[in-house]
Amino acid sequence: MFEYVRNHTKLMMGLLFLIIIPSFVLVGLDGYNRFREKGATVARVDGNDISQAEWEAAHKRETDRLRAMMPGIDAQLLDSAQARYSTLERMVRERVLARATQDARLQIGDARLARELQSNPTIAALRRADGTLDVDRYRQLVGSQGMTPEMYESSVRGELAVRQLQSGLTQTGFAVPALADLTLKAYFEKREVQLATFNVKDFAARVSPSDADLDAYYQANQALFRSPERASIEYIVLDLDAVKKTIAINEQDLKTYYEQNISRLSGNEQRRASHILIAAGKDLAASERDKAKAKAEELLAQLRKSPDSFAELARKHSQDPGSASRGGDLDFFARGAMVKPFEDAAFAITKGQISQVVESDFGYHIIRVTDIKEPKRKNFEELRPSLEAELKSQQAQSKFAEAAEIFTNGVYEQSDSLKSVADKLKLEIRKVADLRRQPAPGVSGVLSNPKLLAAIFSSDAIQNKRNTEAVEVGPSQLASARIVEHFAAKTLPLAEVRQEVRERVIASQAAELARQEGQKKLAEWKASPDKASLQAVQTLSRDQAQATAPQLLDAVLRADPASLPSLLGVDLGAQGYVIARVNRVIPRSNPSPEQLKQEREQLAQVWATAQTQAYAKMLQQRFKMEIKVPQPTAGVN
């Protein structure tokens, strides 16, 4: 296809002009770009698609959040197929719940949104010394997550609405004591058993498969013995870090940036204050709040006449148990540590000054600032590394679009090599000798991206060994690759996998012998119980089942208590066969009142969780939820 385009450039340009220009007129350039960038649909909720790009952006945000919370976390865990699929499941769940909040007409007001944002410590840290929000830094913060302030605030509203919807379920979960006690009694019951095990390994020596057995197993299970399609590739990645490496910071720009940001970079001002609180909660009657305010005004009048009596009056009249005994002293605090009305008043007065009566949700305060701790001004050299890093990040953001255009055009125009683009943008050409269509265990990052893998293993890339197009593998991250050598998937000949086939046949035949021997003994022992050769008595229970096969535990606990003792057999497949004699039921010992209370509460939580999951499943059916990506199997990255 690429050859045809190159050999008929003028013809193709004319056709593209006729096709593309009308589409721009109809949908607009921005809409056309969004359509191009979205990529394949990976899920659908109520007729609305979730695109590959949205999935990747959401996983990038989730990964960044987890790395910030747990810096030492293994990056492979975050980039695994299971982790990415979990992100998609969460996105679908959020879309479903968001749709449910629309149906329920749940809305979050501006005041509730403001309280939520104010309680966010990351946003609180963006306040200036005068208490106002640094809007530029706020935009930069949400921009790093790929959002505008309006998008971020809309997402917070959505989260609050979903939280309100879910709380209606979780807070109504309860367990009737009689039913809870019956459930707990059954759950903690134990069984006294004796076992006889027939392990597969004990029968392996009896198995000697013939060549015909090996050939028959190989022919019936050829899918187990295929070498996957793979390729030796080289690739390049353009991201913000790569752009940063090309940026040299001008010394004068650095000094100007220092002067503009010295207050923010040096730290926050702290104040030490004392207060007298006359308590008056929001739920107090208006008449009572008026009395509390009048008392505060009376104390303020006394302080105006005798400011030095502040500590004495605080000990005598303040209703803040934490500070009254210390004369109202609250020690040093920065912005964001106190409720807003208190904070605004404390930072508005000078050292030694006494405020007016300040109303908060707790009541009425009289505040006196006793000390001010100005942040130590850091010199230019101390801040140079952080200044350079910030400026490089800002310049990299602005230059990335230009570099991305060079990257995108370069990998197409010089399609037989990545070297030209790599040299121009100072990118490293990386090589991988054994890349597969499905990410292999241990592979993470760029080479686990489905869009890039699909481009690498496209028929054009395989046949012509040309560069792939520039693929967006993450926010502000492009990659391109080319195949150096391709190896098609094939069934390996029996001669190459003979030993593996033999091991599988021996295991299969040994498991069958173990099952046959176990069933034979079970029949004999049921006929003559005295001949049963069983192990020592042991106890099995649900709360201590770590070393017990689930099939065995389930069979033992399901044995009819009315017919004990009884013998039963359990086929464990590749693990062998077990005969169990269930002797008796061991009732649960009576728990202490405290333990029983705790268990009832835990059961109520489990019940509430089950209700929530059932509700979510019902919503998924109502809104026709569909995930189009296959769920990865355990242990595959």
Side-chain angles (χ1 to χ4, degrees):
M1 177 181 173
F2 285 161
E3 284 294 337
Y4 185 86
V5 171
R6 290 184 178 84
N7 295 334
H8 302 81
T9 304
K10 292 184 178 180
L11 173 62
M12 294 304 296
M13 286 180 65
L15 289 173
L16 289 172
F17 181 85
L18 292 174
I19 294 170
I20 294 175
I21 296 302
S23 68
F24 282 166
V25 173
L26 291 173
V27 302
L29 179 60
D30 186 56
Y32 192 90
N33 285 335
R34 285 199 301 273
F35 174 81
R36 177 179 176 271
E37 292 170 359
K38 275 191 172 183
T41 296
V42 294
R44 180 172 291 123
V45 175
D46 198 32
N48 297 310
D49 293 343
I50 296 177
S51 69
Q52 178 79 40
E54 290 173 316
W55 179 18
E56 291 170 1
H59 187 65
K60 173 68 164 53
R61 290 194 297 271
E62 181 69 6
T63 297
D64 290 345
R65 183 184 69 82
L66 290 174
R67 281 176 175 155
M69 291 172 57
M70 299 174 285
I73 192 171
D74 186 353
Q76 291 186 8
L77 293 177
L78 300 179
D79 289 329
S80 68
Q82 288 87 354
R84 291 192 296 273
Y85 193 82
S86 294
T87 298
L88 180 58
E89 287 183 312
R90 179 178 55 77
M91 290 180 69
V92 168
R93 187 167 58 251
E94 288 174 351
R95 295 284 180 95
V96 167
L97 290 171
R99 183 67 181 82
T101 61
Q102 293 176 12
D103 273 11
R105 300 185 183 279
L106 295 177
Q107 295 183 343
I108 303 300
D110 293 341
R112 178 68 185 91
L113 174 65
R115 289 199 303 273
E116 182 69 17
L117 295 177
Q118 288 171 4
S119 67
N120 186 319
T122 304
I123 296 177
L126 302 180
R127 292 180 183 173
R128 299 189 183 92
D130 61 0
T132 59
L133 182 68
D134 188 330
V135 177
D136 291 337
R137 293 178 63 203
Y138 175 57
R139 289 184 180 277
Q140 185 178 3
L141 173 67
V142 299
S144 67
Q145 302 177 42
M147 293 185 284
T148 64
E150 293 76 16
M151 292 167 61
Y152 175 73
E153 289 159 15
S154 177
S155 72
V156 174
R157 286 184 195 271
E159 290 173 6
L160 291 173
V162 167
R163 201 183 304 168
Q164 183 177 342
L165 178 72
Q166 290 179 312
S167 66
L169 291 171
T170 57
Q171 293 177 7
T172 58
F174 68 95
V176 177
L179 181 59
D181 294 349
L182 185 63
T183 303
L184 293 168
K185 178 183 177 181
Y187 180 82
F188 287 110
E189 270 186 356
K190 301 178 181 180
R191 300 292 188 271
E192 181 185 277
V193 301
Q194 291 174 273
L195 306 178
T197 58
F198 300 84
N199 294 316
V200 170
K201 63 181 181 181
D202 296 333
F203 292 84
R206 303 185 194 179
V207 177
S208 180
S210 65
D211 290 343
D213 291 335
L214 300 185
D215 185 65
Y217 187 89
Y218 172 78
Q219 294 298 334
N221 298 277
Q222 290 193 14
L224 297 174
F225 309 107
R226 285 179 62 83
S227 66
E229 180 184 15
R230 55 195 177 89
S232 172
I233 70 159
E234 55 185 26
Y235 69 103
I236 54 176
V237 178
L238 175 69
D239 55 19
L240 291 177
D241 287 337
V243 177
K244 286 178 189 177
K245 292 177 183 177
T246 66
I247 295 174
I249 301 297
N250 179 281
E251 185 75 6
Q252 185 56 49
D253 290 344
L254 203 60
K255 289 181 178 178
T256 301
Y257 190 73
Y258 166 77
E259 294 297 334
Q260 292 173 343
N261 294 274
I262 181 59
S263 298
R264 172 176 63 85
L265 296 170
S266 293
N268 296 322
E269 175 187 321
Q270 291 185 320
R271 294 203 165 200
R272 186 169 193 163
S274 298
H275 82 138
I276 298 172
L277 170 66
I278 305 302
K282 292 191 299 182
D283 55 348
L284 203 64
S287 59
E288 295 299 318
R289 287 184 64 85
D290 290 342
K291 289 180 183 179
K293 184 177 181 181
K295 183 175 181 181
E297 295 284 4
E298 181 183 338
L299 290 172
L300 178 61
Q302 294 181 44
L303 288 169
R304 296 296 188 209
K305 296 176 181 177
S306 179
D308 293 338
S309 66
F310 194 99
E312 179 184 349
L313 289 176
R315 291 189 188 95
K316 185 176 180 181
H317 297 285
S318 180
Q319 294 171 342
D320 176 8
S323 67
S325 61
R326 301 194 304 270
D329 181 36
L330 296 170
D331 209 339
F332 282 99
F333 57 88
R335 285 190 177 275
M338 301 294 182
V339 293
K340 195 170 188 311
F342 186 102
E343 176 187 290
D344 290 344
F347 279 85
I349 57 179
T350 59
K351 181 177 178 179
Q353 190 176 359
I354 297 174
S355 72
Q356 299 293 330
V357 172
V358 177
E359 181 180 0
S360 78
D361 290 345
F362 300 100
Y364 297 93
H365 310 260
I366 304 170
I367 306 168
R368 184 182 191 184
V369 172
T370 56
D371 201 357
I372 297 175
K373 189 184 292 184
E374 297 283 353
K376 179 184 176 183
R377 184 182 177 93
K378 295 183 179 180
N379 62 45
F380 177 72
E381 291 302 324
E382 285 180 294
L383 293 174
R384 179 188 286 273
S386 60
L387 292 170
E388 288 183 343
E390 284 192 18
L391 268 181
K392 280 190 174 183
S393 293
Q394 293 176 12
Q395 292 186 20
Q397 289 279 0
S398 62
K399 290 186 177 182
F400 181 80
E402 178 185 347
E405 184 176 0
I406 294 172
F407 185 95
T408 302
N409 293 337
V411 297
Y412 174 74
E413 293 168 358
Q414 303 289 328
S415 63
D416 58 348
S417 172
L418 296 171
K419 188 175 186 306
S420 175
V421 178
D423 290 345
K424 189 175 293 185
L425 295 174
K426 298 181 180 179
L427 303 176
E428 175 191 0
I429 298 179
R430 309 172 194 178
K431 298 182 180 181
V432 173
D434 187 21
L435 184 72
R436 304 182 182 187
R437 276 187 184 267
Q438 299 298 324
V443 174
S444 61
V446 169
L447 293 182
S448 64
N449 183 273
K451 286 172 61 179
L452 181 60
L453 288 173
I456 292 172
F457 286 96
S458 67
S459 58
D460 182 76
I462 292 172
Q463 293 169 10
N464 299 316
K465 293 184 171 57
R466 298 192 184 279
N467 302 338
T468 69
E469 64 178 345
V471 177
E472 185 177 7
V473 294
S476 300
Q477 189 178 43
L478 297 174
S480 177
R482 63 182 297 272
I483 289 180
V484 177
E485 190 172 5
H486 179 258
F487 306 91
K490 65 177 182 177
T491 299
L492 298 173
L494 176 59
E496 288 187 26
V497 294
R498 189 177 190 83
Q499 183 58 35
E500 183 183 351
V501 173
R502 179 180 175 79
E503 291 171 358
R504 288 178 177 271
V505 171
I506 289 175
S508 175
Q509 293 183 358
E512 178 60 22
L513 287 178
R515 185 183 65 81
Q516 292 175 2
E517 182 69 13
Q519 290 178 339
K520 176 184 174 183
K521 290 295 184 183
L522 178 62
E524 291 178 3
W525 295 348
K526 280 186 174 182
S528 303
D530 294 340
K531 294 182 179 180
S533 177
L534 300 165
Q535 299 167 9
V537 171
Q538 60 178 291
T539 301
L540 297 183
S541 63
R542 290 185 179 89
D543 59 330
Q544 295 178 347
Q546 295 86 347
T548 306
Q551 308 99 302
L552 174 60
L553 182 64
D554 185 60
V556 166
L557 292 171
R558 286 177 179 273
D560 185 1
S563 61
L564 300 183
S566 64
L567 283 167
L568 54 88
V570 182
D571 186 359
L572 301 181
Q575 299 176 32
Y577 193 87
V578 177
I579 296 174
R581 182 165 72 187
V582 184
N583 294 328
R584 65 189 181 95
V585 174
I586 303 176
R588 185 194 187 189
S589 57
N590 292 328
S592 66
E594 294 78 12
Q595 183 180 354
L596 182 59
K597 179 183 177 183
Q598 182 181 16
E599 289 171 353
R600 286 174 175 171
E601 291 173 351
Q602 291 173 342
L603 184 62
Q605 291 174 1
V606 170
W607 181 250
T609 300
Q611 285 182 315
T612 303
Q613 291 173 345
Y615 178 67
K617 188 173 182 180
M618 179 271 292
L619 290 177
Q620 290 172 0
Q621 294 173 348
R622 177 192 296 176
F623 298 125
K624 298 180 175 60
M625 180 278 290
E626 180 184 6
I627 294 180
K628 296 179 174 293
V629 178
Q631 185 171 3
T633 56
V636 178
N637 287 336

